[in-house]
Amino acid sequence: MPPGTLVPMPDHATETASSPGAPPAPPPGTPLALQAGRPRIAVIGTSNSVAAGGWARVVQQAVEVVEASNLSLGFCSSDLFAFRREAMDFAALDLCLVDFACNDGTLLASHSHAQRQVEAALRAMVSETTRQGCLPVLMILPVNSFRPDGGRIAALYRAVAEKFALPFFDGYAFLNRLCATPEMEGVALFKDNMHLDNPVSVQLGRMVVELLPGLAARRDLAAPLRRSTGFRYRYFPAGPAIRRGFTRLRRETALIGVDLVEIQSETAADFRLPNGYEATGLVADFGHSHTLLTASGTRSVRLHVASKHDGAPPEKMVLGIWPMPRPVPEMGGFIRLTIGRGRNWDVTTDHSVKPVGEEEAPRLALAGLVARERQAELPWRALLPGALDLCALVPEARFAMARAALRGGR
C-alpha cells in the first residue's frame, strides 16, 4: 500500500490495533493529541454546519475521537473563510472541515457568483491551511435540486481536490448510496432544498468522524512547498475603514459578536482599502439592512441588499456574507459605498423583497468587506499523495447500519 493511503473503515467496530485497518504508528514529531488518536479539527461552514442536530455537532461531540471547534456561520459564501481567518491557528490544527459548497452552488445557479471567484477563494484557503500542515477536507454537502451528481459546484470542488491532492466527502454520492435500496423509500432526506434532515445529517457526521483520525495521521508534514498563482484574502472591518461619524454598535448571537457601522439614510461613505485590493464580499447584518448599495472603485457594481429577516428586533442579528456581483478594485485607496434607492441592480440578495420604498429610509448595518490582493506566488503543500474520495471508503455495512437507524427513526 503506498504511503499516505487511507484504508477503508472496518465493517465492525471490534477491530483491534493489530488488524489490517488500524493506522500505522504516527511519525516522530506528531503532536500528543494526534498520537492519542484525537486530531485537532476546525469546522468552518454555513448553515448545514450550524444546525444543532446536524453533522458538525456529531463531530464536535465525538470527544473520544477528535478535538473539534466550530466556526461556522449561516448565510455566507466561501468568503467566510477570510472572515474567520484570524480566529484560526492552522499550525495548531490537523484538519479543517470546509463546508461552502451548498451556498456557493446556489449562488452560482442564481448567477449571483462566478465560478472563477469560488475557485480563487478555495485556492487561497488551500494555501493558508496546507502550508502550515493543516489538511482541508472539502465537505460537498448536497442541495436537493442539484441531485444526483451535484452539477457544476460538485464538479468544481472535485476538480480543486484533484488539483491540490485534497480529501473530500461527496454528499451526493452519500445520498446515492444511502438510497440505493428500496427500503429507503419514504424516508425524508431534506428539511428544505439546501438542508439535510437532521437524522440524515447525523448519519453523515458519524461516517465522517470515523475517518478523521486515520486521515490526519497520513499527512506528509515534510511535503515540500509548491507555488501557485492566486489571491490573498483578508477581512477589513468597517469601523476602522470608515471615518465618517455614523452610529457604531455591537451585536452578538450565540455564534458570534461583531462591531457594526449603522447607516440609516441616503448617503455615501468612503471605505479605506490598501492599494492593490479589490472587494469580493459584503459582510452585513441583514436583519437591519435594506438598500441599493453601489460599490465604486475602478469598477462599480450595484447590490440590492435585502432579506426576509429585515426588521429584526434591535438586539437580534442576522449576520451574513454576500459576494459582490464582480470584484471591485479600490481607487486611490478607497471604495465609495453609496446607500440609496433604486430598481436597477446587478444582483439581489433576496428575490422576495421589493426595492426600498420612497417612504422608507435606506439602511445598512455594515460589519465590513472581504477583499483580496493578487499574489504572484501562493505557497501550498500536497499533504496527501492525491485526491481522496472519503465516501468511497465507507463500507456497505456502514450504510446498512445508517438505513436501519433512519427507518427506525433514530
Side-chain angles (χ1 to χ4, degrees), residues 36-48:
R38 297 173 64 228
R40 301 156 301 173
I41 292 169
V43 178
I44 179 164
T46 57
S47 50
N48 272 294

Side-chain angles (χ1 to χ4, degrees), residues 20 40 75 113 116 129 134 158 164 200 263 317 333:
R40 301 156 301 173
F75 199 62
H113 213 358
R116 61 184 179 180
T129 53
C134 176
R158 293 186 200 107
F164 294 104
V200 177
I263 306 170
M317 179 170 65

Side-chain angles (χ1 to χ4, degrees), residues 285-290 307-314 316 318 363:
D285 175 3
F286 286 82
H288 298 88
S289 298
H290 189 196
S307 170
K308 63 184 178 182
H309 301 292
D310 181 32
K316 182 173 179 172
V318 184
R363 292 166 290 113

